């Protein structure tokens, strides 16, 4: 049973205090290292505790995955009917946003935060539905796995080999009034998987040989613990006025036509900037050879996606400037914006930093370190 792992009132007391202090909608997020750690179970456990404290709570969307211990906790909790959406002759069930806004409970429970809504829904993503709910004055309790946080996407793909397509922006996670890590040991999670408590029997072996490898889970657990610790620390620091606490550091990440490396550079530099709470800029220098007009359509499309990712992650600015002297353009931008650190990607091959005219990009940047106020970091 999962019940023994969770204190029924400890994590509810903080949220009750938040609800009492403000009429605005509050957000509480449970984060776990993987499916099966008990996020949904803990949400429902806390839901029952809130109801016992006189709070009007309803379930907007929940996935029990047929787990009896989780389904038992649903008894007595108001459950709002889902909305049917039809697309290309198929029927989909989605959370009924209109019903929630009309019902106006004090708190609504929303599972599967990273879910992509069926075409025809008001919002493309469920986290956007949650934003609408909070903005209406309703508080939300929700849950997400660590691999669905946008800035961690590339890191997790590297060690698991799994590309997670559904993500939640970090700036949404940062909105949370309370972030809680649902943690169990890796051995406990594997025991639950092997006992058929997470996936059906025919999927267990595949899961153990892929995403649920012990090494993967150990790294995912560490990421979860770190992420929640960082969010809690940032929440405490947020009590200090922004202009008094923001770091003097100013980070510039330079992207090129290697769009896959760009994703990693953007996510990694964003996380660095977030930890320092500093300004973060994205720059792409266009030459005649690598301009948006001259690269192939696939590269062009991915570069556009790179800039959309920069915006999604919250870059202070993401710019394209034209120059045949790439290093000089980077250094000019750095001087104009008081950059303290320039981040570029490690070359894929020896010709990556090939001379453009008479310019060697890396050599130029390194040679100017001594007379500059910025550091240079090369990301592998």
């Amino acid at each position: 049973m999962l019940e023994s792992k969770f204190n029924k009132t400890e994590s509810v007391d903080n949220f009750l205090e938040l609800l009492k202090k403000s009429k605005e909608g509050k957000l509480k997020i449970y984060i776990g290292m993987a499916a099966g750690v008990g996020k949904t179970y803990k949400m429902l456990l806390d839901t029952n505790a809130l109801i016992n404290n006189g709070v009007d709570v309803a379930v907007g969307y929940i996935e029990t995955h047929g787990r009896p211990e989780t389904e038992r906790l649903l008894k007595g909790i108001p459950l709002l009917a889902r909305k049917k959406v039809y697309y290309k002759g198929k029927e989909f069930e989605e959370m009924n946003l209109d019903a929630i806004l009309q019902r106006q409970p004090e708190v609504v429970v929303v599972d599967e935060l990273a879910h992509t809504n069926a075409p025809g829904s008001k919002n493309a993503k469920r986290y956007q539905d949650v934003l609408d709910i909070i903005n209406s004055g309703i508080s939300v309790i929700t849950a997400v796995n660590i691999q669905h946080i946008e800035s961690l996407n590339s890191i997790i793909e590297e060690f698991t080999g799994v590309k997670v397509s559904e993500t939640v922006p970090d700036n949404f996670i940062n909105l949370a009034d309370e972030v809680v890590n649902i943690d169990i040991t890796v051995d406990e999670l594997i025991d639950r998987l092997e006992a058929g408590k997470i996936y059906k029997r025919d999927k267990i072996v595949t899961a153990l040989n892929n995403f649920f490898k012990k090494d993967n889970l150990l790294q995912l657990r560490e990421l979860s613990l770190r992420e929640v610790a960082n969010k809690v620390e940032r929440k405490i620091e947020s009590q200090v006025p922004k202009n008094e606490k923001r770091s003097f550091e100013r980070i510039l990440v330079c992207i090129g036509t290697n769009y896959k490396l760009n994703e990693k550079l953007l996510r990694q530099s964003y996380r660095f900037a977030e930890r320092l709470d500093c300004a973060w800029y994205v720059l792409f220098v266009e030459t005649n050879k690598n301009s948006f007009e001259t690269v192939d359509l696939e590269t062009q499309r991915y570069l556009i996606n790179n800039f959309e990712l920069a915006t999604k992650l919250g870059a202070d600015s993401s710019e394209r400037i034209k120059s045949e002297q790439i290093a000089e353009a980077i250094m000019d931008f750095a001087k104009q914006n008081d950059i303290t650190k320039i981040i570029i990607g490690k070359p894929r091959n020896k010709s990556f930093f090939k001379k453009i005219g008479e310019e060697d990009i890396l050599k130029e940047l390194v040679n100017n370190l001594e007379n500059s106020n910025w550091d240079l970091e090369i990301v592998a």
Side-chain angles (χ1 to χ4, degrees), residues 214-261:
K214 190 167 185 177
D215 286 348
N216 287 350
L217 294 177
L218 286 168
Q219 292 186 74
L220 288 166
R221 187 187 187 200
E222 182 179 352
L223 276 176
S224 298
L225 292 167
R226 284 185 182 181
E227 186 69 11
V228 173
N230 287 338
K231 298 301 182 191
V232 171
E233 184 178 357
R234 285 292 302 278
K235 204 66 190 176
I236 294 171
E237 290 176 351
S238 69
Q239 305 305 314
V240 180
K242 192 75 174 175
N243 60 349
E244 292 181 20
K245 75 182 182 68
R246 198 167 206 205
S247 170
F248 69 90
E249 298 280 0
R250 300 170 75 83
I251 295 173
L252 169 64
V253 59
C254 301
I255 61 175
T257 53
N258 183 352
Y259 49 83
K260 291 184 179 179
L261 178 59

Side-chain angles (χ1 to χ4, degrees), residues 345-358:
K346 181 181 177 181
R348 286 178 292 182
N349 50 56
K350 292 180 180 179
S351 64
F352 181 81
F353 286 116
K354 65 184 178 180
K355 290 187 177 183
I356 300 176
E358 294 301 318

